[in-house]
Amino acid sequence: MMVKGNAMIKVRALTDQAWIVFAYDPKTRVVMFHTKDKKIMVKLKEGEKKANVNGKSVSIDAGVVNKNGLTYVPLRFISETLGAYVKYNAKDNRVIVRTPTAQQEYETLMHGDLTEAREIALKLPKFSGDAPMLKGGEGYHHYGFTFPEGEALRFIIDNAGYDYGYYEVNEEGLAIKKWQYDDVAKREWGVKPKFKSSVYFLNQWVSGLYTFGKTDAQGNSQELGKLRSEEVDGRVVPIEGEKRTDD
């Protein structure tokens, strides 16, 4: 919620245990935060516009608020004080918070190793916007991923041939759906992308087979490798000789 222009967030929304630990004392109405290594410790008291950071008093724009039994804290102050990256998107009325670990992943996603960036991209929160709800199929036996050659920030996900979704990663590090085809409902939404050349990764996990290869602009595919599914640590593998072009 917003309090005089300050974004407030529920304490329990800050659940990254690799980043911070928190506690709330209902008797004293004090919220306590500290980084996992305990190098930064913060205390805030409900209603007060001061915080205690490593023993020093610091003024803040908005104090802790308790509403309907839920405790809210000033998002930017807590996040930045504890070493996180914060950015407010006024257009979409959205706040992006990345913990130090998540910020490192973001840098890899945008500018790092191609295979690592692809792994991170596939794990991102995915936003479908106004795309219609997909109809489920029966007997899901494989999943696949297709990326433009040399790229990590655009990809298509194939769910056993029942549906296909095309996503683009924006500057905030969010995967936004731009196209989908629902083979069960025989329904298409959005604009299907055109890749000049692409690489694919197909995990036929029921049969235990993982294959990968390239596809040219005309749709001709060339298998480059074949592995057992249990040999593959992630969702994608390195393609020999492929260089990143979208960083």
Side-chain angles (χ1 to χ4, degrees):
M1 67 180 181
M2 300 297 293
V3 175
K4 296 181 179 179
N6 294 281
M8 309 290 287
I9 191 171
K10 290 180 244 183
V11 170
R12 295 193 180 278
L14 300 169
T15 55
D16 188 345
Q17 294 181 359
W19 172 43
I20 63 171
V21 178
F22 69 85
Y24 175 67
D25 186 340
K27 293 182 179 179
T28 61
R29 298 181 300 162
V30 171
V31 183
M32 296 163 282
F33 293 89
H34 66 77
T35 53
K36 194 171 182 181
D37 59 11
K38 296 185 179 180
K39 288 184 178 180
I40 304 174
M41 305 191 73
V42 181
K43 293 182 180 180
L44 303 96
K45 188 169 184 178
E46 186 178 319
E48 292 188 0
K49 291 190 176 182
K50 286 187 177 182
N52 184 295
V53 180
N54 287 350
K56 296 181 179 181
S57 181
V58 177
S59 296
I60 56 178
D61 293 330
V64 175
V65 174
N66 191 292
K67 184 177 182 180
N68 299 325
L70 298 173
T71 303
Y72 293 79
V73 295
L75 177 58
R76 181 175 291 278
F77 172 77
I78 286 294
S79 300
E80 291 186 341
T81 300
L82 295 172
Y85 166 91
V86 183
K87 183 177 181 180
Y88 175 58
N89 181 331
K91 178 181 177 182
D92 298 322
N93 195 30
R94 179 165 62 218
V95 179
I96 302 295
V97 178
R98 287 193 288 270
T99 67
T101 299
Q103 182 63 15
Q104 291 176 3
E105 288 191 344
Y106 175 80
E107 294 299 330
T108 299
L109 171 68
M110 293 301 184
H111 308 293
D113 176 79
L114 180 58
T115 301
E116 290 183 31
R118 284 172 171 168
E119 284 284 358
I120 294 169
L122 291 173
K123 295 175 184 178
L124 291 173
K126 296 173 179 61
F127 294 82
S128 297
D130 57 357
M133 188 75 83
L134 294 165
K135 288 191 176 181
E138 296 182 5
Y140 286 79
H141 49 76
H142 76 263
Y143 56 85
F145 312 103
T146 301
F147 290 83
E149 189 170 4
E151 297 186 28
L153 305 180
R154 299 190 294 153
F155 56 90
I156 294 174
I157 298 178
D158 166 13
N159 285 311
Y162 288 122
D163 62 80
Y164 301 83
Y166 167 61
Y167 296 86
E168 294 181 358
V169 179
N170 65 14
E171 291 184 356
E172 295 177 325
L174 305 176
I176 310 298
K177 181 177 279 188
K178 299 293 184 177
W179 168 80
Q180 75 177 24
Y181 178 70
D182 186 338
D183 191 63
V184 179
K186 303 299 180 186
R187 180 171 56 193
E188 186 175 21
W189 171 88
V191 179
K192 184 178 182 180
K194 294 182 180 180
F195 300 157
K196 291 182 179 180
S197 60
S198 60
V199 294
Y200 68 86
F201 308 91
L202 180 64
N203 194 334
Q204 302 172 71
W205 55 272
V206 171
S207 61
L209 182 64
Y210 181 99
T211 57
F212 58 96
K214 290 184 179 182
T215 304
D216 63 23
Q218 289 70 46
N220 302 308
S221 296
Q222 176 189 6
E223 185 178 294
L224 298 177
K226 186 180 296 185
L227 300 165
R228 299 297 300 173
S229 293
E230 58 265 26
E231 295 180 72
V232 183
D233 292 331
R235 303 184 185 191
V236 298
V237 296
I239 302 292
E240 186 177 355
E242 187 182 14
K243 303 295 183 181
R244 185 165 188 182
T245 60
D246 66 347
D247 58 349

